[in-house]
Amino acid sequence: MANITISGASTGLFNMTDEIRDIGNSKYLKVAMSDKPYYARLSTEKPSDNNMYVIIDNTKYFIQDNPILFEPIHSEHIYQIFEQRLTVWLPKGKYIVELNTTSTTTDTFTIPSGLNAMILYNYRRGLGVQLSIGSDGSRIFYKRIEASGDKTWFTISRQGD
């Protein structure tokens, strides 16, 4: 990941990414270095440790220290036969997966570089609840637990690099 250091009246160090999908649907600042684009994530939320900002369409956007934005993925279902498929961009990093029926199991997995992933979440009588994450035919994560209680849910959260 590239970074930019700005000094003067205010000093700041900002990480940038060369993968625009890492910043989610956020506004961004594009910086070209040796003809390669890098992106810093912008937000109207002011970070506690810097004052660097740009104004776009009369709105002040602050440069965020970390360019990667990943909103946790959460889904829940009552017990009836279901299958849910999601295609998501997973930026590089470490992820925590919580899967629940009546008790919660917690597992982790790591993505060395960003990728498009397919999340498959389902319940079948006799097979229990299954959560599978894969990309290009490879399995990244798989967990199956017995069904109990009246509903099931999962949450996937990014924990950083």
Side-chain angles (χ1 to χ4, degrees), residues 16-155:
M16 294 186 297
T17 180
D18 60 353
E19 177 54 69
I20 194 165
R21 293 177 287 190
D22 287 350
I23 62 170
N25 291 326
S26 301
K27 293 273 189 186
Y28 60 88
L29 176 66
K30 182 178 178 180
V31 177
M33 290 187 221
S34 302
D35 295 330
K36 183 172 182 171
Y38 291 92
Y39 306 92
R41 185 169 53 89
L42 302 175
S43 174
T44 55
E45 183 178 312
K46 182 186 179 304
S48 60
D49 59 349
N50 80 59
N51 293 317
M52 301 305 300
Y53 65 89
V54 296
I55 297 176
I56 301 171
D57 297 328
N58 295 322
T59 302
K60 187 185 281 190
Y61 293 96
F62 293 91
I63 300 172
Q64 303 299 296
D65 297 333
N66 185 349
I68 297 175
L69 178 66
F70 181 81
E71 298 291 336
I73 298 168
H74 179 82
S75 183
E76 60 183 72
H77 288 275
I78 60 170
Y79 283 115
Q80 57 187 355
I81 294 174
F82 72 85
E83 180 172 289
Q84 180 179 16
R85 293 177 183 263
L86 304 166
T87 302
V88 298
W89 173 257
L90 296 177
K92 74 174 185 172
K94 182 178 180 180
Y95 291 82
I96 291 181
V97 178
E98 295 175 287
L99 182 58
N100 181 286
T101 57
T102 55
S103 63
T104 304
T105 64
T106 303
D107 294 286
T108 63
F109 66 91
T110 301
I111 301 289
S113 61
L115 52 81
N116 283 313
M118 170 66 75
I119 298 172
L120 175 60
Y121 178 46
N122 63 26
Y123 167 71
R124 300 279 184 266
R125 285 189 178 89
L127 296 177
V129 177
Q130 297 179 80
L131 179 64
S132 178
I133 304 170
S135 179
D136 293 329
S138 298
R139 185 182 286 174
I140 298 166
F141 176 87
Y142 176 79
K143 185 76 171 189
R144 184 185 72 79
I145 58 178
E146 293 301 318
S148 58
D150 59 352
K151 70 178 179 179
T152 177
W153 58 262
F154 79 89
T155 301

